[in-house]
Amino acid sequence: MDKKLKLAVIGKPIGHSKSPEIHKHFANQFDAKIEFRKDEVAPETLETWLADFFKDGGKGVSITLPLKEAALNYADEISDRARLASACNVIYAKDEKLFADCTDGFGLIKDLQENIKVSLKDKKILILGAGGAARGIIPSIIEKDPASLKIANRTKSKALFLKEDLEGKLDLKGKSLTFEAGGLSDDFLLADSYDLVINSTSVSTQAGESIGLPKALFSGTKLAYDLFYSAEKTVFMQEAFEKGAEKVSDGWGMLVEQGAESFRLWTNLIPDTSRLLEKPID
Ligand code: NAP
């Protein structure tokens, strides 16, 4: 790859993003030359930003909050993964077209199965939250044949809507999946026990904030996984561990693995993620 690849990450806010460092680390493995911009872009300026970037020879963009849904409108082709998620976290140019994809589910499953060594088959899974991240990961989770999947969200109607939407899009025939959605009431949460509890709410972005989950929720939980990543254990991770979860993890591994999949889409190269997984970038 002789030409410098023009890449970027966009969103608002964007200062915290580790994407430039992650992708430079990947590019160095192949001696690939990349230029990686980090631009603050609001929904109102997304269309012009994308048009200018790709007109100027841009190859690929990582898309973060709050642009993941809106960005779908500017792609010529939408992958199945992005269609199911109704959102994309990557857009790239290929054969004079713009392709949108969603690599979040891929990243989570790779982290769970290959890095943390947790199988989802026949497991009982609880997902807290029903926002964009939940949309992105649920189809990939269902593909792994869990015994049950429950979506619990602060705004109950959003959880019910998400479940209904996914049931309309996914082929659940032949799967013996118990699929439920509801609010965060103790009755709903404690009606079952869970092997895996995934926090896909954005509560961890507000330092010190707790969802206020009942203590008994984590009895029997093998892993409590927070999609948010941070140097310190999040409040969700601390509480889950104190309340009985055997193991806790943040979403750094997911971030690295979804980034590796985006890098593959941009370059056709599959980077080694092992060093980044061991040593997060501060
Ligand atoms: P989003 O679309 O804004 O959704 C936020 C969700 O959190 C909603 O379900 C919301 O409930 C819920 N919520 C917010 N504050 C809450 C509180 N105090 N108590 C209970 N529920 C609360 O955000 P998103 O895109 O899904 O992102 C969610 C998280 O995933 C973020 O922390 C993000 O950093 C992380 N993420 C990580 C990766 C990775 O690669 N590791 C990738 C994507 C996202 P309501 O519906 O009631 O408002």
Side-chain angles (χ1 to χ4, degrees):
M1 205 188 300
D2 293 332
K3 237 177 79 199
K4 208 174 206 186
L5 269 194
K6 290 177 76 142
L7 305 170
V9 59
I10 56 172
K12 191 176 178 196
I14 198 65
H16 65 286
S17 173
K18 303 286 186 209
S19 289
E21 290 85 354
I22 290 174
H23 288 284
K24 278 175 194 156
H25 175 86
F26 292 157
N28 286 342
Q29 294 175 17
F30 304 98
D31 281 331
K33 297 184 202 69
I34 65 165
E35 166 195 320
F36 205 106
R37 278 165 63 176
K38 176 152 88 170
D39 281 8
E40 185 170 294
V41 175
E44 310 80 74
T45 53
L46 176 62
E47 184 171 12
T48 29
W49 189 94
L50 287 172
D52 290 347
F53 179 76
F54 287 108
K55 202 163 68 195
D56 206 23
K59 175 65 187 174
V61 194
S62 282
I63 314 275
T64 64
L65 277 176
L67 310 171
K68 288 182 166 189
E69 287 88 5
L72 281 182
N73 296 322
Y74 308 111
D76 303 304
E77 306 273 344
I78 296 173
S79 72
D80 283 348
R81 300 189 293 199
R83 189 181 50 79
L84 287 172
S86 306
C88 61
N89 69 338
V90 55
I91 290 197
Y92 58 103
K94 193 177 151 191
D95 303 333
E96 320 230 325
K97 281 185 177 174
L98 291 186
F99 290 75
D101 204 339
C102 177
T103 63
D104 280 344
F106 173 95
L108 174 69
I109 298 296
K110 186 108 194 276
D111 193 35
L112 289 174
Q113 292 194 336
E114 293 186 23
N115 304 331
I116 305 177
K117 311 263 186 256
V118 170
S119 158
L120 302 190
K121 188 163 167 48
D122 300 328
K123 297 287 166 28
K124 293 182 284 179
I125 301 175
L126 170 67
I127 296 194
L128 302 162
R135 275 186 172 281
I137 61 174
I138 290 174
S140 305
I141 290 173
I142 289 179
E143 211 174 85
K144 296 295 167 193
D145 290 326
S148 66
L149 180 62
K150 199 179 250 194
I151 310 171
N153 193 48
R154 181 176 61 182
T155 310
K156 183 177 168 182
S157 57
K158 269 175 69 180
L160 297 175
F161 177 80
L162 176 55
K163 173 176 171 275
E164 206 179 296
D165 183 53
L166 288 170
E167 280 173 331
K169 289 175 173 171
L170 292 165
D171 184 9
L172 298 178
K173 281 196 288 302
K175 292 207 179 280
S176 53
L177 172 76
T178 308
F179 192 15
E180 290 175 276
L184 289 177
S185 71
D186 285 9
D187 281 355
F188 183 62
L189 292 173
L190 298 179
D192 295 285
S193 63
Y194 311 96
D195 299 298
L196 172 62
V197 179
I198 298 176
N199 178 22
S200 88
T201 75
S202 53
V203 73
S204 304
T205 60
Q206 300 134 39
E209 186 113 351
S210 164
I211 305 174
L213 298 165
K215 187 169 191 291
L217 182 72
F218 294 99
S219 71
T221 295
K222 306 273 183 300
L223 174 67
Y225 189 103
D226 197 337
L227 296 197
F228 186 75
Y229 62 92
S230 76
E232 308 292 320
K233 274 201 173 67
T234 64
V235 170
F236 169 80
M237 288 162 70
Q238 287 167 29
E239 289 183 349
F241 192 65
E242 281 158 17
K243 291 173 179 175
E246 279 176 29
K247 203 170 169 176
V248 295
S249 174
D250 74 358
W252 173 250
M254 170 180 168
L255 183 80
V256 171
E257 298 295 357
Q258 64 80 25
E261 176 68 353
S262 300
F263 189 83
R264 183 188 70 78
L265 294 171
W266 296 335
T267 62
N268 275 327
L269 299 167
I270 300 175
D272 177 1
T273 53
S274 54
R275 245 203 58 214
L276 275 185
L277 291 170
E278 270 169 31
K279 194 175 177 305
I281 298 161
D282 295 326

